[in-house]
Amino acid sequence: MRVLFISFFLVSADQISKFLVKGFSIPFLKLHYEGMFHGQRIRILGDFFQLTFIENPGMAFGYDPGSNFKFYVSLFSLIASIALIVYLYVARSQSLSLRVSLAFILGGAVGNLIDRMFYGVFYGYAPLFYGRVVDFLDFDFFHFTIFGRTFERFPVFNIADSSVTIGVLILILFYKHHQKETETAITATTTDIDPGSINLNQDTLNDKPDKGKEIPL
């Protein structure tokens, strides 16, 4: 379960970066940080890489399925995160690559789940489970169309999104290794039989079936 430290680090990095972008205010601690205003862009590497502050209202690529469906997206993310933690415990003896990939996916899922669950309440614009996800990493990779929308730049994303992507890529790269490991474990289970537990009497095996006593004529 030590791979959970990876998840914890990713969640921490994701949330710190989002607070620095969006800003925050904690009155009783007299802490206030302005952050970026919505839609603001800061060029880092010209037009190729910019920090662009937007808030994702729904799912990936800015697709908004509606407020009712948004609740179920948040609820599903919560259940999936719990399931990943349980599976990490069950798979604690599996290969390191599998556990690391799951830790990356878990870190990304929890990072965005915090936004959806608590940001609406923390920033005072929506109830629990209805918050918006903060995105800010803006790259000019290529142009494409998805969900009926055409993007001139790659959709703005965050560290949590990157974590999930990296986790999935690790799963794909090591898929054959994971599959081979699973098959080996199944084979070892089915063949791990103690020969001493099978006590067959060779004489018994050699005996012919009893056809009864011969009756003298």
Side-chain angles (χ1 to χ4, degrees), residues 43-81:
R43 292 186 177 183
I44 305 298
L45 294 175
D47 290 333
F48 174 70
F49 174 45
Q50 306 177 57
L51 295 180
T52 303
F53 173 34
I54 66 169
E55 290 181 296
N56 187 340
M59 301 172 65
F61 304 107
Y63 177 71
D64 188 0
S67 59
N68 292 331
F69 189 75
K70 186 174 181 178
F71 169 78
Y72 294 106
V73 171
S74 301
L75 185 60
F76 174 78
S77 299
L78 175 60
I79 295 173
S81 298

Side-chain angles (χ1 to χ4, degrees), residues 19-180:
F19 280 133
L20 291 177
V21 168
K22 187 173 177 60
F24 59 90
S25 180
I26 307 177
F28 69 92
L29 292 179
K30 296 182 180 180
L31 292 176
H32 179 76
Y33 177 73
E34 190 66 28
M36 299 172 62
F37 60 84
H38 193 271
Q40 180 181 358
R41 290 185 174 180
I42 300 176
R43 292 186 177 183
I44 305 298
L45 294 175
D47 290 333
F48 174 70
F49 174 45
Q50 306 177 57
L51 295 180
T52 303
F53 173 34
I54 66 169
E55 290 181 296
N56 187 340
M59 301 172 65
F61 304 107
Y63 177 71
D64 188 0
S67 59
N68 292 331
F69 189 75
K70 186 174 181 178
F71 169 78
Y72 294 106
V73 171
S74 301
L75 185 60
F76 174 78
S77 299
L78 175 60
I79 295 173
S81 298
I82 295 173
L84 278 173
I85 294 174
V86 173
Y87 187 75
L88 271 173
Y89 176 77
V90 173
R92 62 190 182 279
S93 60
Q94 297 294 321
S95 63
L96 180 61
S97 58
L98 174 63
R99 290 181 285 126
V100 168
S101 65
L102 293 177
F104 267 87
I105 295 173
L106 175 64
V110 172
N112 283 336
L113 175 63
I114 292 174
D115 294 31
R116 293 189 180 100
M117 284 190 65
F118 303 111
Y119 272 30
V121 176
F122 184 77
Y123 288 100
Y125 64 81
L128 197 68
F129 284 100
Y130 287 87
R132 297 187 294 265
V133 176
V134 174
D135 293 326
F136 56 91
L137 299 175
D138 186 2
F139 287 89
D140 187 12
F141 284 137
F142 44 79
H143 310 290
F144 65 100
T145 300
I146 189 170
F147 295 141
R149 296 178 58 184
T150 299
F151 295 88
E152 295 183 355
R153 298 175 65 89
F154 193 80
V156 183
F157 59 100
N158 54 46
I159 293 177
D161 298 329
S162 303
S163 301
V164 173
T165 302
I166 293 172
V168 172
L169 288 176
I170 294 174
L171 275 178
I172 294 173
L173 290 174
F174 290 91
Y175 171 75
K176 290 185 177 180
H177 174 71
H178 299 153
Q179 188 179 39
K180 184 177 179 180

Side-chain angles (χ1 to χ4, degrees), residues 6-24:
I6 297 176
S7 302
F8 177 78
F9 172 78
L10 292 170
V11 172
S12 299
D14 177 69
Q15 289 301 307
I16 290 173
S17 64
K18 288 173 178 175
F19 280 133
L20 291 177
V21 168
K22 187 173 177 60
F24 59 90

